[in-house]
Amino acid sequence: MRTSSHWKRLAVAAVAAVTLAGCGLGDPNAPEDAGGAGGAGGGEVTGRVSLQTWALKPKFTAYMEGVIDAFEKKHPGVEVEWLDQPGDGYSEKVLSQAAGGTLPDVVNLPPDFALPLVKQKMLLDVAGADPELEADYVEGGTAAYRFGGHDGTYGYPWYLNTDVNYWNSELLTRYGLDPKKPPATLDELIAAARTVKEKSGGEVYLMSRKPGLMDFANAGVKLMSDDGKSFTFNTPEAAALLDTYRGAFKEGLLPKDVLTETYAGNTKLFSSGTAAWTTAGGNYITSLATDNPSLAPKVVSSPAMGTPPLYVQGLSVSRATKNRATALALARWVANAENQAAFAHLTSIFPSTKASASDSFFSKSDGTNAGDAKVTAFTSLATAKVLEPVQANEAIKTVVNQQIALALNGQAGSKEALDTAVERADQLLKD
């Protein structure tokens, strides 16, 4: 679910696209010229419309064709052209389409891919066009498509995921911890990590990752200004969090290579039995059963500490579409409760509609540890939020992680490292 941003080198092309498509944009909330009713934004649902998805062929071809066929049957006279782009280079492809004036009417965009188009006024405010949007979708999903400095909501949340905690119950029990009552706060986690270190002789870790922007957010730190133009995480609270982690690192509660390029990642360490805790998506145990079938039955889950992180894929509507009513109706159709639920039955994602809360497939466990984890994740979606600003692309996160590493190993003070990270991240925003 998590994505990288590769937009900046194509930003000039995006600016050009405004000129190319400017005469067709108009007011994003202006009424449709076509008369009649039926579309989410008013107007007759008819005619040709294009829909672009991201790497769904061939695995989900039958599913998508079924959704599209049903939409065309519901609305005689509609013809949907389905485009599906490969996974690699998708962000560049979308921005190139926008620059060339060929952005599809409805396009699959995660929030970080949507933001550059919002800045160039290329996407429709779907909340302004569809008054029922906020009532029908979970708040975290719609909030993901609201951006600082830009009024409106620029996408229908299509499908979601979040993280939950996973614990190796065998290791917890061996080292004197109760897997039925795993740590629920950072202080409890550090205390438990100390117990594991002492009783394992340092052979097993409980904690196996350094903090990041999401940890700052969960500590109540405001990461970015309201207008989305500068970072603000160099606060005393963030410095105190780094101080806490530096103490844990100095005490040997985290692997030494957690700060180096050789770090394998906490999920990899968990799978190998080196670490007793990791975070991962709601269907992690199912995939673990393939990678490490002997470990999977020993895993128990618990809710994420603090606010659960939200990972979102959505459907945005081009502001330049010539068939707004049909485009809005199609986006809402693909992302409705029934179609999202059918999609979630086929793969490891969760629906974003409030109506899905009563679907027993997600809300009731089958009694297995994988079923319990799925319910934990689904229940968490009601309060989950996108914790990292979408402006924090890979280059910015690299700078932040480098400064965090310097703070943890004592090469820089926590506040000094955060000040440097904010300064350099702000510069990258301007580049």
Side-chain angles (χ1 to χ4, degrees), residues 24-28 120-124 317-321 324:
L25 297 181
D27 180 354
Q120 301 302 331
K121 302 186 185 302
M122 294 180 179
L123 297 182
L124 183 70
V317 176
S318 169
R319 194 179 179 206
T321 179
R324 186 178 302 179

Side-chain angles (χ1 to χ4, degrees), residues 16-293:
V18 176
T19 303
L20 289 170
C23 61
L25 297 181
D27 180 354
N29 297 311
E32 287 296 296
D33 293 333
E44 184 180 2
V45 179
T46 189
R48 186 177 178 84
V49 69
S50 55
L51 165 66
Q52 179 165 285
T53 56
W54 183 9
L56 294 188
K57 289 183 178 180
K59 186 174 182 179
F60 302 107
T61 296
Y63 166 76
M64 284 303 303
E65 288 179 344
V67 170
I68 291 169
D69 288 347
F71 182 75
E72 292 177 339
K73 184 177 181 180
K74 179 179 175 67
H75 300 286
V78 167
E79 181 182 351
V80 177
E81 178 188 12
W82 177 34
L83 311 169
D84 186 70
Q85 301 295 341
D88 292 341
Y90 183 61
S91 58
E92 288 91 342
K93 176 64 176 181
V94 170
L95 203 55
S96 295
Q97 289 173 322
T102 60
L103 191 69
D105 298 295
V106 180
V107 57
N108 176 195
L109 296 174
D112 56 332
F113 287 15
L115 177 59
L117 300 185
V118 172
K119 288 181 177 180
Q120 301 302 331
K121 302 186 185 302
M122 294 180 179
L123 297 182
L124 183 70
D125 170 13
V126 294
D130 183 355
E132 300 301 315
L133 175 76
E134 305 293 344
D136 291 344
Y137 295 88
V138 298
E139 166 60 19
T142 55
Y145 289 89
R146 296 195 290 267
F147 306 101
H150 302 276
D151 293 334
T153 304
Y154 293 92
Y156 287 88
W158 186 10
Y159 54 91
L160 314 174
N161 214 328
T162 186
D163 285 342
V164 299
N165 290 318
Y166 292 97
W167 311 89
N168 184 322
S169 63
E170 182 179 64
L171 291 179
L172 263 58
T173 301
R174 181 184 302 169
Y175 300 122
L177 300 174
D178 185 355
K180 294 182 180 179
K181 296 179 181 179
T185 67
L186 178 59
D187 288 344
E188 291 178 4
L189 183 66
I190 290 174
R194 188 174 296 118
T195 298
V196 170
K197 183 201 173 190
E198 292 170 353
K199 295 191 175 184
S200 72
E203 293 184 0
V204 174
Y205 295 92
L206 187 64
M207 300 171 67
S208 60
R209 67 168 180 82
K210 65 181 183 293
L213 290 174
M214 289 197 294
D215 298 282
F216 294 153
N218 262 322
V221 175
K222 185 175 181 178
L223 302 184
M224 184 156 242
S225 61
D226 290 338
D227 61 8
K229 294 182 179 180
S230 61
F231 289 97
T232 58
F233 56 82
N234 53 335
T235 68
E237 294 80 7
L241 180 67
L242 286 189
D243 288 344
T244 298
Y245 269 92
R246 179 168 60 228
F249 182 73
K250 186 176 181 180
E251 195 177 338
L253 303 185
L254 292 88
K256 290 184 179 180
D257 68 354
V258 75
L259 305 183
T260 71
E261 293 297 326
T262 61
Y263 173 58
N266 64 326
T267 303
K268 183 72 173 179
L269 294 175
F270 182 84
S271 179
S272 68
T274 304
W277 165 65
T278 190
T279 57
N283 293 282
Y284 171 67
I285 294 177
T286 301
S287 60
L288 181 63
T290 300
D291 299 334
N292 190 339

